Amino acid sequence: MMGRYIVKRLIYMVPTLIGMSIIAFLIIQLPPGDYLTSMIARMTESGENVDPAQVARLREIYGLDDPVLIQYWKWISGILLRGDFGHSFEWNRPVSDLIWERMGSTLAISLASLLFVWAVALPIGIYSAVRRHSFGDYAFTFLGFLGLAIPNFILALTLMYVTYRYLGQSVGGLYSPQYVEAPWSWGKFVDLLSHLWIPIIVIGTSGTAALIRILRANLTDELNKPYVVTAKAKGLPEYKVVLKYPVRIALNPFVSAIGWVLPELISGVTITAIVLNLPTAGPLLLRALVSQDMYLAGSFILLMGVLTLIGMLVSDLLLALLDPRIRFT
Amino acid sequence: MGIGGMVAKLKADVADTGEPLLEVKDLSIDFHLRTHILHAVRNVSFALERGRTLCLVGESGSGKSVTARALLGIVDRQGRIAGGRILLHGDEGEVDIAQMTERSSELLRIRGGRIGLVFQEPMSSLSPVHTIGSQIIEALRLHRRLDARAARAETVELLRQVEIRDPETMVDRYTFEFSGGMRQRAMIAMALACDPDILIADEPTTALDVTTQAEILDLIKRLQVSRGMAMLLITHDMGVVAEVADDVAVMRYGRIVETGSVDDVFHAAQHPYTSSLLSSTVRLEQPRADIRDRAEALGEPVLSVRSLTKVYGAVSGWFGKSGPALTAVDDASFDLHAGENLGIVGESGSGKTTLGRLILRTVEPTSGSITYRRKDGTSDDVLALSKAGLKDYHRQVRLVFQDPFASLNPRMTVKQIVGDPLVVAGTLRGAALEHRVGELLDLVGIDPRSMERYPHAFSGGQRQRIGIARALALDPSVLIADEATAALDVSIRAQILDLLLDIQKRLGLSFIFISHDISVVRYFCDHVAVMHRGRIVEMGTAEEIVNNPREPYTQSLISAVPNPDPRNKRMLHRTRFKS
């Protein structure tokens, strides 16, 4: 039953992926010019001489004068057949190296933020729904809206200031300078933790606020359902009634959150990452787009799409595990 | 020994003890709403005795469910027990449930342990994401020291007692795999799991079909007698009261206006409200208010339906597999004459609603024909109509909906709602439109001056009148009423039925009246078609169907209708249909 469902979902993903690769490629082709024109512009600006013959040679090497379809085919067949994402013009390195370098830290920060979001939103959401219109509910609601309303970069700057001024930590990045190139050790791990909490809080705040509101609204509806009275009439204590029945059903949006939180965490936190100088994918993508480093940018966009799809799949599978009504229909 | 005999014997056994199990004394419950305090229950007193059934009767909003839940100490967030005592007698003397707090362990022991609760919504009163078994096992393990294996065995045994087929398999199923009647049985099994002294059943059969209702009431009654429980049955249906109750308490506006033995209440009612409740109860034996001249109804039929069939799911899917075909309506044929009322009765899933939609062509029939004859003698083949033709047809044949709360747009005024069909048709505007809306509202007994108000300002019965006015706006010749009175209280229901009959007399309408309630159909209709599993199994005049049904299915259906007369119980001696 479940196996067939997964296979079906995977098959459905194929056309979506093809469409996404086309769109990713078109997006990076959209701006006028290409990497070479922007390079020439930069070189002339700084007064360097540009040799037209060399430019023509470069164009030929990179195939920039080929029709769009052939360029697309070269790119996608390289990825599919050889795992070759192409060559970054700007960094003069294979794109895959650059991406894997950044993806590790990006995923780590994203997952940590997701866990933070869940850990904070779940208890607060339940409390707010069960003790609706109480002082605690209002206080959390206020904090939640504050979190939604404050732009991430302001929060990042504030936290950086606080840690620098009062905790005397090095600002920005994931490691203190002395650990950046050092091999893994206990000290490096502790150092990582002491840096990691700032991005996690900054990135997680708005997601937390949103999830608290969703959980509160859902749970409020569920609390009035007849099956809650049934559970009470059985003689279950109140906290067990709430946790076992309505919360279980109100959890659905939590799980579906993976689908949208994951890509948002990876791409949507670019500004935060720049402010905090994090070695994640966001700033790299921005650079690649600005300098029209097309293979790098295209690969990033494609990967982001794949991650979204995977996130959706994971959340759908978890939902099916959680809710038999989805499993059987 | 029949049920009656067992009841009589048990009554003889316990009659002398005289000690009530539970006494409610002067109970008052207030609801603190945003603007005012609502006294939902006021000075209510009654007692429950072992082996006897007390029926609490009242219309919606009378406070009967609030009272019942208070017996378990379950009161809504805004609610407070303002006064009175709920005394539960037991081996260790008496305890007052009204004084217990939500967290007291004593209260938790009583809930489910000494008092079991079964209530109305069989669809939503069990958790959809847990198996039936796990929910019953939970109740067992809470109150009885059983290990997991013993609890499971006990659960299977309980499911067997409530006559669920194949309990070993069903115990691991989810609620959505159960039918409404089966869920209610599982609910009863859960309530009875820990052998409570008292069973509270809050409208346990309201959402069920008549035959299922009869089986469930039978089951509850039998289990009550065999376990010697006291039962508090809450219902709005006088028929159910007459069939099941020993004693009756009638509630209105939070007060008990009359109590007495079932025979006294039905045959010597003291309070005028009780009498009006009884007189507005539509009885199966009661013929139509006006028996008309049959000859008048003859002539060319307005609507002729021939061999109408709808098959669902025969289309092949994406991967070439074809789902099992379901024949929702199978070869239905009938004629509807001008000024005639045709009733379509059947249980849920019998295809009666689909038939109504097929006639309107909101669902496309698979095969068959529908012929509609206009007043000027021309006739149309409905299934061949173009889009414009269908639009015109929908002006002639209109629908009255079941749910008076969901079928009116809460953001439109009554004037907009009733005038909407006229605006869509483009026939009237401005002052003429307003005049017409006023006329229509007057026709259905709503003050035309209130046309600027929004639907929330009206009660359920008034909303249904507004819905009827909207259906009448374009001078239709046929109205299809799908369970148009099912959501209404008995007294309101009688008023709406009389209103429809009155309008029919004045406007010469024909009705197709779709209902699960045979008494209402009998009261309202000239001809009745009985549907079962998509087929019209029997058709005839209302008298024939009720007094002299030929088909075994119709017989079982008629005999399962509760009779609102305790001296003449019908349901418990019903004939059963085996298919």
Side-chain angles (χ1 to χ4, degrees), chain A residues 121-174:
Chain A
L122 186 65
I124 294 183
I126 294 173
Y127 176 87
S128 287
V130 175
R131 299 267 172 272
R132 214 156 9 109
H133 303 308
S134 68
F135 174 76
D137 175 29
Y138 286 131
F140 283 127
T141 305
F142 177 73
L143 284 179
F145 278 122
L146 216 59
L148 263 182
I150 296 179
N152 278 351
F153 67 93
I154 298 237
L155 196 60
L157 287 174
T158 317
L159 283 179
M160 276 164 77
Y161 175 77
V162 169
T163 48
Y164 173 71
R165 185 88 171 74
Y166 298 100
L167 301 177
Q169 261 186 353
S170 73
V171 172
L174 282 182

Side-chain angles (χ1 to χ4, degrees), chain A residues 3 14 56 59 95 138-139 222 260 271 273 286 309:
Chain A
V14 173
R59 295 197 86 88
V95 167
Y138 286 131
E222 293 297 328
W260 54 266
I271 299 176
L286 187 69
L309 280 190

Side-chain angles (χ1 to χ4, degrees), chain B residues 32-71:
Chain B
H32 295 261
L33 303 179
R34 203 168 287 218
T35 50
H36 60 284
I37 293 177
L38 176 78
H39 304 288
V41 176
R42 279 185 270 188
N43 302 87
V44 162
S45 304
F46 57 84
L48 298 177
E49 286 168 41
R50 201 173 278 283
R52 283 181 79 83
T53 302
L54 173 71
C55 271
L56 204 54
V57 198
E59 297 188 285
S60 51
S62 60
K64 51 193 197 304
S65 287
V66 176
T67 310
R69 286 180 195 185
L71 299 193

Side-chain angles (χ1 to χ4, degrees), chain B residues 14-35:
Chain B
V14 294
D16 297 329
T17 62
E19 173 77 347
L21 262 175
L22 182 121
E23 280 176 283
V24 175
K25 288 183 175 165
D26 267 335
L27 182 69
S28 296
I29 299 171
D30 289 347
F31 278 77
H32 295 261
L33 303 179
R34 203 168 287 218
T35 50

Side-chain angles (χ1 to χ4, degrees), chain A residues 4 8 11-12 129-133 225-227 229-230 232-238 240 244-245 248-249 322-325 327-328, chain B residues 69 72 74 77 102-103 108 111-112 115 117 119 121 124-130 135 138-139 142-143 174 176 187 190 318-319 321:
Chain A
R4 251 183 67 186
K8 211 165 102 184
I11 293 175
Y12 284 159
V130 175
R131 299 267 172 272
R132 214 156 9 109
H133 303 308
K225 292 274 171 73
Y227 66 82
V229 182
T230 310
K232 269 192 195 172
K234 239 187 254 181
L236 275 179
E238 196 189 356
K240 267 196 190 162
K244 182 161 181 192
Y245 293 101
R248 168 82 187 270
I249 291 168
L322 196 66
D323 192 332
R325 287 171 299 181
R327 191 155 68 230
F328 286 96
Chain B
R69 286 180 195 185
L72 283 168
I74 299 176
R77 277 171 56 94
E102 178 66 35
R103 283 158 201 272
L108 295 181
R111 286 180 184 173
I115 306 180
L117 175 69
F119 63 110
E121 311 282 339
S124 51
S125 53
L126 290 167
S127 162
V129 297
H130 296 85
Q135 297 184 55
E138 182 179 41
L142 265 173
H143 297 283
Y174 290 96
F176 54 85
M187 186 81 197
M190 190 195 294
W318 254 47
F319 291 95
K321 59 165 190 243

